[in-house]
Amino acid sequence: MEYTTLGNTGTTVSRLCFGTWRFAKESGGTVETDREEAHDLLDAAWEQGINFIDTANVYGDPNGTSEEWIGEWLADRDIHREDVVIASKVYFPFDGRGEPGPNDSGLGRKHIRAQIEGTLERLGTDYLDVYYIHRWDEDTPIRETMQTLTELVREGKVRYLGASSMAAWKLTKALWTSDVEDLERFDVTQPMVNAAQYDEVGDYLDVCADQDLAVCPYSPLSGGFLTGKYDRAEDGSVEAPDGSRGSLDEMFDDYYATEQAWDVLEAVESVADEVDASPAQVSLRWLMDQDRFTCVPIVGARTPEQLEENVGAVEVDLSDEQFERIDAARGADD
């Protein structure tokens, strides 16, 4: 495993982060990853050197189950808390206590205060390394949100602050508010970024690069599209394996399988053949090799074998020409 400093912080993390959004997630009445499978995946991540775990208060059915299972795993394996970097999130309606009430969502002081206590209890820890706002709250002044998050940092309940998906101007506004109000600022971000959809958050990433913010992208394989398991039919539609997201998601073709995405996949597959790696490994390495900002992709494997393949990305070396070829396929040279 390779390790890197997380942006402008003093914390060292593995070059891949393990995402747990599938833990206890029900789809069609079936739990995607049950407790035993979750612990097996956490074991596999730990054994392969991943020390960075990502979760959220709303992961799992009911909400909070993902955090509970991580906390149980930490206690069962007797892993020292200081050896693990744990990130969680707050914003969406929380149903872990039953039907969400009017103050069970958003980024107001009341909701944040309630959720941090629940998150820490479920994880069995007294602090988080990174606490993300899961989305932007249009109804709460950003000053109140940043003041509340600053209190958590100064009380020792949170080490660093993070922001997930939002418009670039909103991220800039939050950073500006922190600076002028002498409040803690965001150090880590979590947008959806991959080689096929990079440009959709280009302005956001410009802010991250300028402000030295770490980027921990979710969906680094474009919903599985960049694994190379999908084929293009003669009519342009996607031929998807049974049980894959492409076979279950009606929006997959329009959202993931764009004309640009097929061009990027072709470039990724050609590079994969040259370096004797899988398309998934090349796609992850391309993100890890970003030089404008620290980039730590979040991988959400379903099996230890998939996780092992993802971790193999740290062994891949891309030449400048190969990196730029993937860039060119998404139109970066225009």
Side-chain angles (χ1 to χ4, degrees):
M1 178 54 64
E2 297 175 0
Y3 296 87
T4 187
T5 303
L6 189 62
N8 200 33
T9 76
T11 296
T12 299
V13 297
S14 47
R15 292 302 307 270
L16 293 173
C17 175
F18 181 57
T20 64
W21 74 277
R22 284 197 175 97
F23 286 11
K25 176 180 173 60
E26 289 192 11
S27 298
T30 301
V31 176
E32 292 194 20
T33 301
D34 63 27
R35 182 181 182 276
E36 183 178 353
E37 292 168 334
H39 285 192
D40 288 344
L41 284 165
L42 288 165
D43 284 340
W46 183 252
E47 289 165 2
Q48 297 191 56
I50 294 178
N51 72 339
F52 193 7
I53 300 172
D54 181 86
T55 187
N57 64 331
V58 293
Y59 289 172
D61 297 307
N63 295 164
T65 307
S66 175
E67 292 176 329
E68 286 182 5
W69 289 356
I70 294 168
E72 292 168 357
W73 173 77
L74 287 169
D76 290 345
R77 302 304 188 269
D78 195 28
I79 295 173
H80 198 286
R81 174 66 183 87
E82 291 303 318
D83 292 333
V84 188
V85 179
I86 302 176
S88 194
K89 311 177 189 72
V90 62
Y91 168 74
F92 287 112
F94 179 80
D95 70 9
R97 297 186 296 109
E99 185 69 22
N103 287 301
D104 284 333
S105 63
L107 297 176
R109 179 173 281 106
K110 185 174 179 64
H111 182 60
I112 291 175
R113 280 287 184 176
Q115 290 306 308
I116 188 63
E117 297 302 332
T119 285
L120 295 178
E121 181 179 356
R122 288 186 291 272
L123 287 167
T125 182
D126 57 5
Y127 74 94
L128 282 178
D129 294 283
V130 180
Y131 201 27
Y132 290 100
I133 61 168
H134 215 156
R135 292 292 186 272
W136 182 271
D137 185 352
E138 299 287 355
D139 298 320
T140 302
I142 189 60
R143 183 174 182 273
E144 176 179 334
T145 298
M146 300 312 299
Q147 281 181 326
T148 306
L149 294 173
T150 295
E151 292 166 4
L152 299 184
V153 172
R154 295 176 183 176
E155 292 168 10
K157 294 181 178 180
V158 172
R159 297 293 187 258
Y160 300 105
L161 303 180
S164 189
S165 298
M166 65 183 69
W169 71 264
K170 293 179 179 178
L171 177 59
T172 303
K173 180 178 180 178
L175 295 170
W176 177 83
T177 300
S178 293
D179 291 344
V180 300
E181 298 282 352
D182 193 26
L183 301 171
E184 298 292 329
R185 72 198 321 256
F186 295 128
D187 287 304
V188 189
T189 60
Q190 192 178 123
M192 188 177 79
V193 182
N194 53 67
Q197 294 169 299
Y198 185 100
D199 301 307
E200 295 181 18
V201 290
D203 291 344
Y204 185 100
L205 295 176
D206 287 343
V207 176
C208 294
D210 180 72
Q211 296 295 305
D212 198 14
L213 307 182
V215 178
C216 299
Y218 70 91
S219 196
L221 299 177
S222 191
F225 181 81
L226 292 177
T227 64
K229 63 185 176 184
Y230 297 103
D231 294 316
R232 196 175 195 179
E234 291 185 4
D235 63 1
S237 63
V238 176
E239 294 181 348
D242 291 341
S244 66
R245 183 177 298 186
S247 67
L248 300 173
D249 187 347
E250 295 179 357
M251 301 298 294
F252 189 91
D253 287 31
D254 293 335
Y255 189 69
Y256 292 104
T258 64
E259 197 66 36
Q260 182 188 61
W262 285 112
D263 291 342
V264 170
L265 178 59
E266 182 179 354
V268 165
E269 289 180 326
S270 70
V271 171
D273 287 341
E274 294 167 5
V275 299
D276 193 24
S278 69
Q281 291 170 338
V282 169
S283 298
L284 291 171
R285 187 77 238 187
W286 183 84
L287 285 171
M288 293 157 62
D289 284 350
Q290 297 295 311
D291 60 4
R292 295 198 302 146
F293 42 76
T294 305
C295 189
V296 181
I298 300 173
V299 294
R302 294 192 179 195
T303 66
E305 291 73 25
Q306 286 180 349
L307 184 59
E308 183 178 3
E309 178 191 355
N310 290 338
V311 170
V314 302
E315 303 294 336
V316 175
D317 289 318
L318 300 183
S319 67
D320 290 344
E321 186 277 329
Q322 290 167 332
F323 183 93
E324 291 164 4
R325 194 191 316 163
I326 296 172
D327 254 1
R330 65 178 181 82
D333 57 346
D334 292 339

